[in-house]
Structures are given as C-alpha cells and as structure tokens.
Amino acid sequence: MRRVYFDHSATTPVRPDVADEMCAFLKENFGNPTSLHYFGRQARKEVEAAREKVAAAIGATPNEIVFTSGGTESDNMAIHGVAMINKNKGNHIITSAVEHHAVINTVKALGKEGFTVTILPVDKYGMVSVDDVAAAITDKTILITIMHANNEVGTIMPIKEIGSLARSKGITMHTDAVQSFGKIPFSVEELGVDLLTISGHKIYGPKGVGALYIRKGTRWKQSLFHGGAQERLRRAGTENVPGIVGLGKAAELAIRDLQSEAEHLKALRDRLIHEVTTKIDYVKLTGHPTMRLPNHASFTFEFIEGESMLLSLDLKGVAASSGSACTSGSLEPSHVLLAMGIPHEIAHGSIRITLGRDNTMEDIDYFLEIMPPIVNRLRAMSPLDQE
Amino acid sequence: MRRVYFDHSATTPVRPDVADEMCAFLKENFGNPTSLHYFGRQARKEVEAAREKVAAAIGATPNEIVFTSGGTESDNMAIHGVAMINKNKGNHIITSAVEHHAVINTVKALGKEGFTVTILPVDKYGMVSVDDVAAAITDKTILITIMHANNEVGTIMPIKEIGSLARSKGITMHTDAVQSFGKIPFSVEELGVDLLTISGHKIYGPKGVGALYIRKGTRWKQSLFHGGAQERLRRAGTENVPGIVGLGKAAELAIRDLQSEAEHLKALRDRLIHEVTTKIDYVKLTGHPTMRLPNHASFTFEFIEGESMLLSLDLKGVAASSGSACTSGSLEPSHVLLAMGIPHEIAHGSIRITLGRDNTMEDIDYFLEIMPPIVNRLRAMSPLDQE
Amino acid sequence: MYTEKVMDHFENPRNVGEIENPDGVGQVGNPTCGDIMKIYLKVKDNVIEDVKFKTFGCGAAIATSSMVTEMVKGKSLDEALKISNKMVAEALGGLPPKKMHCSNLAADALQAAIQDYMDKQEKK
Amino acid sequence: MYTEKVMDHFENPRNVGEIENPDGVGQVGNPTCGDIMKIYLKVKDNVIEDVKFKTFGCGAAIATSSMVTEMVKGKSLDEALKISNKMVAEALGGLPPKKMHCSNLAADALQAAIQDYMDKQEKK
Ligand SMILES: Cc1ncc(COP(=O)(O)O)c(C=O)c1O
Ligand SMILES: Cc1ncc(COP(=O)(O)O)c(C=O)c1O
Ligand code: FES
Ligand code: FES
C-alpha cells in the first residue's frame, strides 16, 4: 500500500545524514562528557560542537544553550525557573489559550501554587493580540510565555511585537518555538525573547532531546532536576550525547535548507488547501490564512468526527492527525479550536495535515483522490442534519 | 597508544547489538507512539516491547515501568512524587549520606520546603545499618530512599532488609539501582521496594534514557513535568523511542549475560585489588571488601591527589575516575568518602577503577605496570610527610 | 489500538441507515460532546425484524453501533434488553480503556429505541 | 580541558624538589582542602638563583607550581614580587575557570617564600 506521512508536526523522520552521524557516534564515541579523561573529552568536544550549531541556528551564543530531554522539559524548565526566582518580585504570569500542554499545564500548575495567571484569548485565526498582552500586564507580571507558532492550526504569533513590549516593561519573555524552528527564519535577537524552546524530533532530528535558550543575564534558576553539575548547573543528568549530536546536525541542516524547503512546502500546502476547500463542501481552513507555517494545513469537516476520518485515511495509508498527537488519544475536542470560537461539534471534525521534506505533489494528489469518498461515506452515516 | 577504559560506573560503551537495533530504528521507524496511525502504532509496538523487557529484567509488570530521560530524572521523579502526594500524611524522609547527588540533592531541596530529613551515616565500608534505619523511622516517615549499590565505592546495601522493614511500617521505599542493575541479580519482589531507578547508559545502553519502576498501588504522583498524557500520565513529553528501544535491548542482554559477566569481572577485579594493595604502599581499598559490585575497585593513595593520578593515567591511555563523574569536575573531596570517615587529605587521593565486559587481564596487567611509577613520581613531588 | 473486529465493523459497518416509519427510535449523546448515536427498529411479534443506525463519533462509536445492530437483529425484545455495553465490547474483541464509554453509548441507544417502541405500544 | 602548556608542565614539571639550606621557604594551603604548595628559594644579590617546589594537588596545581618557578628563576626579587596569579595562568595559555584558584596558590607560595627570605634577612 502507498504510505503517505502527513503528520510532521507530531514528529518527523530522522534525516539520513543525522541518523548516520548519530549511529557512528553511538558505536564509537561513548564517553561521559563530564569525565576528565580522553573518552570524556572526546564526548565533550562533540557536545560543545553541537551547542555551537544550535546557538548559530537561532543567533545565540553557545553559553546560552542548555540541552534537555525535549520540548516538554524545556517549556517546564523555562517557566518554572523564571517563576521560582522571581516569586518575591511578582506573581503574575501571562500566557495564551492556545499554548501546547507543556506550557499551559505548567502555568496552570503554578496558578495553584499562589501565582496569578492570565490566559489570553485568541481571535478566530488563533492569533493573540499584542494589545491584549499590553492590557494584561501589571506591575506584578514576571513572565510572558506565548508560543511562536501553533502546533494545531499553524498560526504564527506576533512574537516580535510581544517581545519588544515585554522588554520595554522589564518582563521576562519565553516563547515555545518547537513548531517554528527550522520552518520560518528567526533569531532570538529579532524576536527579543529571553527564553526559547526547541525540540529535536520536530526538525528531522532525534526524539528525547531538545534545548532551551536562556539569554545571558536572564533571571532564571534551575528548579526541576537536582543532581550533578552538568550543563553548568543548569540541567542535572548525564548528557544524551548522541541525541545532542543529532540535534546539532539537524539544526544546522534545517537552517541551511530552510528557504528551499519552505518554497517546496508552500507549493504543496497551497494546492492542498485550495483543492480541499473548493472540492469538498462544509470544510473550513482553521488557523490564519497567510500567517501560518509553510507546511501546515488544518481543516474542520462538518457533520463528521475527526478520529473516524483519521482511521479511514490510515486504512488508505495516509497518516494525519486531528490536532496534536497528545489530544489524539483523548476525547475532548482541541482546546485550541474551542479557544478560536469554533463550536464543539465542528471542532470534533478537525484534521491536521502537516507536510514534510519528503512529500511530493503526488502525495497531495493521492490525498485529494481518497479524501472526498471518505467524507461522503462518513457523512452518509452521520445522524446530523446536513442541509 | 593503548587505550584502556576503566570508568564503567561513569558510563559504558553502547553494545554493538544495542547500537545496531537503535540505528535501524532511527532510520526506519520514526513515528510518534501517541499517534493513532500506522507510523504511530509501529513506534508504540516497540515502546511496549521494550517496556516488557525492562519489566522482565527486574521482575515487574510492564505497567509498573515508566520511561524517563535517565537516572537523574527517575530519582527526582520518584522522590518528589512520593513527597508531594504524602505531604498531608507525613513529612519525614530518610536517606543516607552516600547517595548519588540526584537523590541527596533532591531530598535536601525538600528539606528546604518543609520536609524533615534524616541523612543516615554509614560505616567505614560505606554501608548503611538496618538498625539505624529502624531507629530513624517516626510516625511521620513517608519515604525511605537508599541506594542499592554505591557508585563511588561499590558497596552493596542491605536493601532487602530495609525494604521489608519499610513495608512492615507501611512506608514507601525507593532505591537507586543505577549501579547494581545488570551487575548483580535482583528482583523488585525480592528487594521489597516500591520504586526503583535504572539508567540506560550504565548497562551498555544509550544515554538520555532511564526508567522508574513504580509498584502498582504505590502512593506517588507525577509532579515534575506538565504536558501531554504520555506514559499513562506519569511522564509528559514525546517518548525517546530509539532510546527506549535501546534500553529494552540492553536490559535484556544485561540480564542474559549477568552471571558470566560477573565471573569475568570478579576475576579481573580481585587480581587488581590484590596486586594494587600489596605492590603499592599506603594504599587502601575503599568500600566493602566483599559486599561490593563485581566490577568495582576503588582506592585511596596517601600523600597524592586524585586528579593528578587520573591525568597521569590518561597520558598512558587509561581512563579512570576519582569518585563519580560529577565530582571529577569539582574541588571538594567526595561526600561518600568523607561520610565513611576517611580524612580529607586521604579522600583527596581517591581513584575508582570500574571494569567492563570488554576489559581483559592484559588491561589489568597494563595498569599494574604503569601505576606504581605514577604513584612514585607524584609522591616524589608531594610536600606531605611520608614516613 | 483497535482489534481487527473493531476495524472490520468500522470499515464495513452493518445496518447503516434509517428505517422509514420505524417502530422505535433511540438517540443518545449530543454533538457538543462529540458523539451521537441513533438507532431505528422495526419490530414484529416482539422480535426485532430490522435495525439500522446512524452515528457521529469516533471509530469505536461506529464499530459498536454496527455490532449492536448485528447482535440484536432477529432477537426478541427481551433478549435485546439484556445486551449490556460489556457484551458489545466483548463481541468486538475488546476496546481500549479510553473507548469503553463508546460501547455504553451503543447499548444506551439500543435501550432507548426499545423503550421508545414500548412507550408507543402503550399509547396505542 | 587543560592547554598543551599545562599538560607539558604537568608531565615534565620544572624545578621539582627541595633546596637544602634554602634562603626562603613558603608554604600555602593545607591537606584538608586538598592543596599544598611549598616553594624553596636560593637568593644571591637580590636575584633568585635557584627555586624548587613540592606540590600536593591537582594537575593545575602542579603545572602552575612548575610555571611559577620557571618564571622567577634568575629574576630579581622585585621582579618576582610583581608576578600575579593572572600572569601565571596566562603563561600557561589559560586555565579552566574552576582551576583559576590553583594559580592563586602558586603565586601565594612564591610571595610567601620571598617574604620568608626578607624576614630572615631582617633578623640577621
Ligand atoms: C508547540 C509544542 N511545544 C512543545 C512540544 C513538546 O515537545 P516534545 O515532544 O519534544 O516534548 C510540542 C510537540 O509535541 C509542540 O508542538
Ligand atoms: C547511583 C547513581 N544514581 C544516579 C545516576 C544518574 O543517572 P544519569 O546519569 O542517567 O542521570 C548515576 C550516574 O551518574 C549513578 O551512579
Ligand atoms: S464515541 Fe466518544 S470517543 Fe468514541
Ligand atoms: S589546587 Fe585545588 S583544584 Fe587545583
């Protein structure tokens, strides 16, 4: 059966170059980078080389990069660490209603520990308004954490404007750039953020490794793991050296190819969006029509439910998702779509198609061929009024 | 130059079988195990197969295994999670003075958050006494966390006795088995513990992955990472699938080969200990003479300092350490040796030789050949009185 | 995550559709919570002669609807009333823990349809 | 982590040993903290004619001791007194941040030895 992978926002295949580098590493260079001896120094060298690559990819200096076990850890570490060190200064945190669970659940947990939380609404495109951020700021605000691009609907947020607002008020700013990194160009300078999260497995790198950028001078403290003195006391635990090497390589390649990839992806995406929304009735694009990730198409199909569409697509070899990989396993409709004002029953019928570097126009054609009959079959089964 | 790796307690090379399996995986099976589609299910299958292997290796059921980013995370997660859920029941935690920093620093941090901490002393062999544990228990005790085998001096603790004591009092028991797993046989049943930590890179598996065993019914809650619903809500963040696969394979092989490895290692170790302590003056074995890990030899050399010995060995191609990899980078003498009553100036002269499956008797001979001149050279440079 | 049986009923659902002038109709769930099941019955001499369903819901919802209709077709109302959600799930070779409630829906829709038939009988 | 220069001085330390009947001796550190440096001087016409050291300490401690002795040999006492820990570290091509204090020790031991010489001169 033809297999088409359309779920690149959930995870990506490891690029062959990255896998090769990691494998060579797994087999040969195994030292613990903390060790003083030859084996340790060899490993240390590679960790620092990877740190330079990651730093270069986002316009940071190597000392500002801390390696973690992934995007979730980076988000937790960023938010908790800023909250803990600033708790005598203020207790107000601003975030948005469409953040990844790694951010929103962390902020909500702090809300139960004496912090005051503002969860900003979004417009119908999933966009946070800079004015709303400005209006929410109080003299107790210590942290603004708003994602760079949304994983479910692909909307790109005005982080640059929010970042400079935060800076002008002396408030620490974090952004989760897990989805935008490697897909749209940016630097931490340009965005004006103090902390920024990335994850390896979303950029054709390995799972189980990520990084947190912490701008020099940011008031932040390590507050998740206690243990050894790794990562200059910013993250305890033996470094995932092959993972870090893979992340470094993946980051380097992602930036090198960003421009050409983006053009390729946009061509596929635009055709997909155009054809789906014109050929199938009662379909809507979710997320912003233009301020969106180049590889991201997401829709709602009325009268039918997301999982049954996904299963039907899967039976035809197409891997898509309905929102985030996390919510695929749950029963509630996406908090992102609800925050955008999409009614429950329509939010249940969401599908996300996220393209990647190996996808072709033939993949799009195949999807366009199989999707209409799937929709028709399920709609024929639906008890909902369809006029 | 001949290169001899004698630092297997810091980290181990990845076994070729394990590396091959991981590489195949890195290149082919890349799905996110949370995804419902084909690619996700393929990954999920492998994660669950690995979980079965790890469970089998310690005599647990698969549901009792949670995958983490390593031993440090497992230790933090175990201790913090038990403390958080039991804080209304009691606030007393018992640990020992020779724990790894991932345990002792976590417990100490809780000590600053309203918990009462008892740090038990050890005897001159680094051993905790069961009577001391019994005497420390109060009706507020909610957790006992004592390591199975010590990383710096190799001493194996009476966990079975402590485990059944804890159980008879209804107190939750955690043990850090990072060093003992795969080296000495045990099951969680036999040890009678409720939580147990293991780490991939100490058993010829990958870095950046570990597991926490949580006995069914244990009062524990996830309290480190907020985010997605992975690992049945016990650990948020996309699973490190290749790492998990590697850990599963490494665990399976470690248990399969345990007996034969142990005999091989003991033969090397015993000759090493015998020759070093008889051929060189003013040397003492640290840790227990018999209740010790089969691959572990650790010494103090009087009048000279550890790092200068390590550097000298390294110049001859021998990789050893002085205590834990973590403390190698620091200036203070090992907290473990001090807790054993070894004076500061002698503790500074410690060396740890931890053997592994690829070491040979020739490696031992080589060490025995180069070590005496190194000791002599450094002692000749030492201003300390040597009579 | 789903058994072969579930996937079979999802891919080839039995008895999809509506019955014109049904003797009983049951509907449970609501679009807000994301699941609606509607079951139509044709009853003769206390035996379910025909049954059809329409479902808005996940794969498990569709499969359990299909299975429940297959299980009751040709059965007496008394037998049909004994069908529990557990029996539906078992007939499908099991459901993932998170999806057990979907089988509730199917059994509930069936009971509602039978109840509707009985209510109508009484009124006659 | 160490520069080649450091490793060279660690492997081939210059001026190791003691001087019999030295004109000045300086010792700093103590075994509890893990570092001891002892420097012996032979002084003639205010010039350091000979210098030796003994050190209990890490690689950096040994290398800085060796370097400091090399730096002062043949120098006048005035020149020697100007040698700071920073100069020692620089002469070695730098030290890791954690090891900067080792160079302190070496400079301190030298100053102590010169002070000892001066004290003895005064008493004469
Ligand atoms: C926006 C966003 N943040 C954070 C994460 C979590 O990253 P990880 O899967 O590496 O833990 C994801 C992906 O799952 C994501 O899409
Ligand atoms: C006893 C012990 N516990 C915990 C750890 C930490 O494990 P990891 O390096 O996987 O974080 C180590 C090793 O560093 C160890 O030796
Ligand atoms: S019907 Fe609700 S999840 Fe299946
Ligand atoms: S002399 Fe103390 S660490 Fe170097």
Side-chain angles (χ1 to χ4, degrees):
Chain A
M1 181 164 47
R2 183 184 183 112
R3 292 240 170 248
V4 177
Y5 187 72
F6 272 168
D7 200 9
H8 291 84
S9 287
T11 197
T12 54
V14 180
R15 285 170 87 123
D17 297 8
V18 171
D20 287 343
E21 192 147 315
M22 288 178 66
C23 289
F25 209 89
L26 268 174
K27 288 176 186 169
E28 287 148 30
N29 192 339
F30 68 89
N32 185 325
T34 309
S35 300
L36 298 176
H37 50 62
Y38 172 79
F39 299 86
R41 293 194 305 271
Q42 294 302 99
R44 166 63 51 209
K45 216 182 283 175
E46 297 296 330
V47 169
E48 298 315 318
R51 199 185 308 278
E52 280 175 26
K53 288 177 191 171
V54 171
I58 60 170
T61 59
N63 275 346
E64 296 173 317
I65 304 297
V66 183
F67 291 116
T68 69
S69 70
T72 298
E73 182 181 334
S74 294
D75 282 342
N76 275 265
M77 192 166 136
I79 294 167
H80 205 256
V82 171
M84 287 305 122
I85 205 166
N86 284 305
K87 66 181 166 192
N88 295 326
K89 197 182 142 204
N91 69 344
H92 181 229
I93 300 174
I94 298 173
T95 188
S96 88
V98 296
E99 298 298 312
H100 190 270
H101 286 114
V103 167
I104 203 150
N105 289 354
T106 303
V107 172
K108 284 183 180 165
L110 289 169
K112 288 191 196 139
E113 289 176 29
F115 287 85
T116 313
V117 173
T118 299
I119 299 180
L120 296 175
V122 292
D123 67 15
K124 63 179 174 174
Y125 299 125
M127 188 82 87
V128 169
S129 117
V130 183
D131 290 344
D132 285 352
V133 178
I137 292 172
T138 73
D139 56 1
K140 292 278 175 227
T141 308
I142 53 171
L143 173 66
I144 300 173
T145 172
I146 293 178
M147 70 202 315
H148 193 199
N150 182 270
N151 44 314
E152 296 194 29
V153 297
T155 300
I156 300 167
M157 304 285 188
I159 295 304
K160 207 169 148 167
E161 290 73 15
I162 301 172
S164 64
L165 176 62
R167 187 166 292 181
S168 73
K169 303 274 183 181
I171 299 166
T172 303
M173 168 86 198
H174 167 250
T175 194
D176 176 338
V178 166
Q179 292 293 343
S180 59
F181 180 56
K183 297 203 195 88
I184 55 175
F186 67 81
S187 75
V188 289
E189 223 36 76
E190 195 185 306
L191 295 182
V193 296
D194 302 302
L195 302 109
L196 181 141
T197 294
I198 66 172
S199 176
H201 71 105
K202 310 280 188 181
I203 57 162
Y204 306 95
K207 294 180 175 50
V209 64
L212 179 64
Y213 158 78
I214 308 176
R215 183 183 294 278
K216 193 164 182 253
T218 299
R219 280 174 57 78
W220 172 90
K221 73 171 183 184
Q222 161 56 35
S223 60
L224 285 185
F225 288 3
H226 303 280
Q230 289 91 350
E231 293 290 290
R232 307 160 133 246
L233 290 166
R234 293 174 299 182
R235 204 276 184 180
T238 300
E239 295 89 336
N240 176 358
V241 184
I244 289 170
V245 167
L247 173 60
K249 183 83 181 172
E252 186 181 40
L253 297 176
I255 299 303
R256 187 194 69 186
D257 298 347
L258 192 147
Q259 205 55 48
S260 57
E261 286 296 334
E263 277 162 34
H264 166 68
L265 293 167
K266 269 185 203 159
L268 302 186
R269 179 198 68 182
D270 290 346
R271 181 163 134 81
L272 176 71
I273 292 177
H274 180 261
E275 296 291 307
V276 167
T277 50
T278 53
K279 295 246 165 90
I280 304 178
D281 284 340
Y282 301 109
V283 172
K284 280 213 184 70
L285 180 74
T286 57
H288 201 280
T290 56
M291 293 293 289
R292 68 185 300 131
L293 292 172
N295 71 324
H296 199 294
S298 51
F299 307 97
T300 52
F301 292 79
E302 272 188 75
F303 318 123
I304 52 182
E305 189 269 349
E307 195 208 278
S308 61
M309 283 187 272
L310 296 181
L311 280 179
S312 304
L313 284 168
D314 186 48
L315 287 166
K316 296 279 180 197
V318 174
S321 74
S322 86
S324 74
C326 302
T327 44
S328 291
S330 97
L331 307 173
E332 285 102 51
S334 144
H335 69 289
V336 173
L337 299 179
L338 297 182
M340 288 160 61
I342 295 175
H344 262 75
E345 63 270 33
I346 297 180
H348 273 291
S350 71
I351 282 252
R352 177 181 75 170
I353 308 286
T354 45
L355 308 170
R357 51 198 303 274
D358 297 328
N359 288 138
T360 60
M361 203 52 94
E362 286 73 51
D363 293 340
I364 304 292
D365 289 340
Y366 181 63
F367 179 82
L368 294 172
E369 180 194 319
I370 63 167
M371 192 63 188
I374 288 174
V375 172
N376 290 341
R377 189 181 90 98
L378 292 172
R379 283 189 178 160
M381 240 187 271
S382 171
L384 296 179
D385 255 359
Q386 308 168 30
E387 60 271 0
Chain B
M1 180 165 46
R2 183 183 183 113
R3 292 240 170 248
V4 177
Y5 188 71
F6 272 167
D7 200 9
H8 290 84
S9 289
T11 197
T12 54
V14 180
R15 284 170 89 122
D17 297 7
V18 171
D20 287 343
E21 191 146 319
M22 288 178 66
C23 290
F25 209 89
L26 268 175
K27 288 176 188 171
E28 286 148 31
N29 191 340
F30 67 88
N32 185 324
T34 308
S35 299
L36 297 176
H37 50 61
Y38 173 80
F39 300 87
R41 293 194 307 270
Q42 293 303 99
R44 166 64 51 208
K45 216 181 284 175
E46 297 296 330
V47 169
E48 298 315 320
R51 199 186 308 278
E52 281 175 25
K53 288 177 190 170
V54 170
I58 60 170
T61 58
N63 275 346
E64 296 172 318
I65 303 297
V66 183
F67 291 115
T68 68
S69 72
T72 297
E73 183 181 334
S74 294
D75 282 341
N76 275 265
M77 192 165 136
I79 294 166
H80 205 255
V82 171
M84 287 305 123
I85 205 166
N86 285 303
K87 65 181 166 192
N88 295 325
K89 198 182 141 204
N91 70 344
H92 179 229
I93 300 174
I94 298 174
T95 189
S96 88
V98 297
E99 298 298 311
H100 189 270
H101 285 115
V103 167
I104 204 150
N105 289 355
T106 304
V107 172
K108 283 184 181 163
L110 288 169
K112 288 191 196 142
E113 291 176 27
F115 288 84
T116 314
V117 173
T118 300
I119 298 179
L120 296 175
V122 293
D123 67 14
K124 64 180 174 172
Y125 299 124
M127 188 82 87
V128 169
S129 117
V130 183
D131 291 344
D132 284 353
V133 178
I137 291 173
T138 72
D139 55 2
K140 292 278 176 226
T141 308
I142 52 171
L143 174 66
I144 300 174
T145 172
I146 292 177
M147 69 202 316
H148 193 199
N150 183 271
N151 46 313
E152 295 193 29
V153 298
T155 300
I156 299 167
M157 304 286 187
I159 295 304
K160 207 169 148 169
E161 290 73 16
I162 301 172
S164 63
L165 175 62
R167 186 165 294 180
S168 73
K169 302 273 184 182
I171 299 167
T172 304
M173 169 86 198
H174 167 249
T175 194
D176 177 338
V178 167
Q179 293 292 344
S180 59
F181 180 55
K183 298 204 194 89
I184 55 174
F186 67 80
S187 74
V188 288
E189 223 35 76
E190 194 185 308
L191 295 182
V193 296
D194 301 303
L195 301 109
L196 181 141
T197 294
I198 67 172
S199 176
H201 72 104
K202 310 281 187 180
I203 57 162
Y204 306 97
K207 294 181 174 52
V209 65
L212 179 62
Y213 158 78
I214 308 175
R215 183 183 294 277
K216 193 164 181 257
T218 299
R219 281 174 57 79
W220 172 89
K221 73 171 184 184
Q222 160 57 34
S223 60
L224 284 186
F225 287 5
H226 303 280
Q230 289 91 351
E231 294 290 289
R232 307 160 131 246
L233 291 166
R234 293 175 299 182
R235 203 276 183 180
T238 300
E239 296 89 335
N240 176 358
V241 183
I244 289 170
V245 166
L247 174 59
K249 183 84 182 171
E252 185 181 40
L253 297 176
I255 298 304
R256 186 195 70 186
D257 298 347
L258 191 147
Q259 206 55 48
S260 58
E261 286 295 334
E263 277 161 34
H264 166 68
L265 292 168
K266 268 185 204 157
L268 302 186
R269 180 200 67 182
D270 290 345
R271 181 163 135 79
L272 176 72
I273 292 177
H274 180 261
E275 295 292 307
V276 167
T277 51
T278 53
K279 295 245 164 91
I280 304 178
D281 283 341
Y282 301 108
V283 172
K284 280 212 183 69
L285 180 74
T286 56
H288 201 280
T290 56
M291 293 293 289
R292 67 184 301 130
L293 292 172
N295 72 322
H296 199 293
S298 51
F299 307 98
T300 52
F301 291 80
E302 271 188 77
F303 317 124
I304 52 183
E305 190 269 348
E307 194 207 279
S308 62
M309 283 187 271
L310 296 182
L311 279 179
S312 304
L313 284 168
D314 186 49
L315 288 165
K316 296 280 180 198
V318 174
S321 74
S322 86
S324 74
C326 302
T327 42
S328 291
S330 100
L331 307 171
E332 285 102 50
S334 146
H335 68 289
V336 173
L337 300 179
L338 296 182
M340 288 160 61
I342 295 175
H344 262 76
E345 63 270 33
I346 296 180
H348 273 290
S350 71
I351 281 250
R352 176 181 75 170
I353 307 286
T354 45
L355 309 170
R357 51 197 303 274
D358 297 329
N359 288 138
T360 60
M361 203 52 96
E362 286 73 52
D363 292 340
I364 304 291
D365 289 340
Y366 181 64
F367 179 82
L368 293 172
E369 179 193 321
I370 63 168
M371 191 63 188
I374 288 173
V375 172
N376 290 342
R377 189 181 91 97
L378 292 172
R379 283 189 177 158
M381 241 186 270
S382 171
L384 297 179
D385 255 359
Q386 308 167 30
E387 63 273 1
Chain C
M1 65 182 243
Y2 289 131
T3 63
E4 263 177 52
K5 207 77 181 254
V6 171
M7 287 310 294
D8 175 37
H9 277 267
F10 172 73
E11 235 184 314
N12 311 296
R14 312 348 176 211
N15 310 308
V16 179
E18 298 177 24
I19 293 177
E20 270 186 59
N21 305 317
D23 298 322
V25 182
Q27 174 166 330
V28 296
N30 65 63
T32 306
C33 87
D35 319 292
I36 304 180
M37 267 183 216
K38 197 164 179 177
I39 286 191
Y40 303 81
L41 296 179
K42 198 90 208 163
V43 180
K44 198 172 171 182
D45 301 335
N46 270 330
V47 167
I48 298 179
E49 266 205 340
D50 197 10
V51 51
K52 299 252 180 217
F53 81 89
K54 284 207 153 188
T55 289
F56 166 78
C58 71
I62 291 171
T64 51
S65 311
S66 165
M67 179 50 92
V68 89
T69 59
E70 204 176 61
M71 287 168 82
V72 298
K73 205 165 179 175
K75 291 254 163 70
S76 72
L77 290 178
D78 279 359
E79 284 174 304
L81 277 171
K82 284 188 199 132
I83 289 179
S84 68
N85 57 328
K86 237 182 99 190
M87 287 157 77
V88 181
E90 273 168 17
L92 286 165
L95 284 172
K98 267 189 208 159
K99 295 291 187 174
M100 284 308 291
H101 82 277
C102 314
S103 60
N104 272 334
L105 274 177
D108 289 354
L110 173 68
Q111 310 306 337
I114 297 175
Q115 193 59 51
D116 180 50
Y117 166 76
M118 290 177 167
D119 291 351
K120 280 182 187 151
Q121 288 309 96
E122 255 170 43
K123 277 183 208 145
K124 275 185 187 168
Chain D
M1 66 181 243
Y2 287 132
T3 62
E4 262 176 53
K5 207 76 182 253
V6 172
M7 287 310 294
D8 175 38
H9 276 267
F10 172 73
E11 235 185 314
N12 312 296
R14 320 330 184 221
N15 309 309
V16 180
E18 299 178 24
I19 293 176
E20 271 188 58
N21 306 318
D23 298 322
V25 181
Q27 173 166 331
V28 295
N30 66 63
T32 305
C33 86
D35 320 292
I36 304 179
M37 268 181 214
K38 197 161 178 178
I39 286 189
Y40 302 82
L41 297 178
K42 200 87 205 165
V43 180
K44 197 169 172 188
D45 301 337
N46 270 330
V47 168
I48 298 178
E49 265 205 339
D50 198 11
V51 50
K52 300 252 181 214
F53 80 90
K54 285 206 153 187
T55 289
F56 166 78
C58 70
I62 290 171
T64 51
S65 312
S66 165
M67 179 49 91
V68 90
T69 59
E70 204 176 63
M71 286 168 84
V72 299
K73 204 163 178 175
K75 291 253 163 71
S76 73
L77 289 178
D78 280 356
E79 284 172 306
L81 276 171
K82 284 188 199 132
I83 287 179
S84 67
N85 56 330
K86 237 182 98 187
M87 288 158 74
V88 180
E90 274 167 16
L92 286 165
L95 284 172
K98 268 191 209 159
K99 295 291 188 175
M100 284 308 291
H101 82 277
C102 315
S103 60
N104 272 335
L105 274 177
D108 290 355
L110 173 70
Q111 310 307 337
I114 296 175
Q115 194 58 50
D116 179 53
Y117 167 77
M118 288 177 167
D119 290 353
K120 279 183 186 147
Q121 288 308 98
E122 254 172 40
K123 276 185 210 141
K124 273 186 190 166

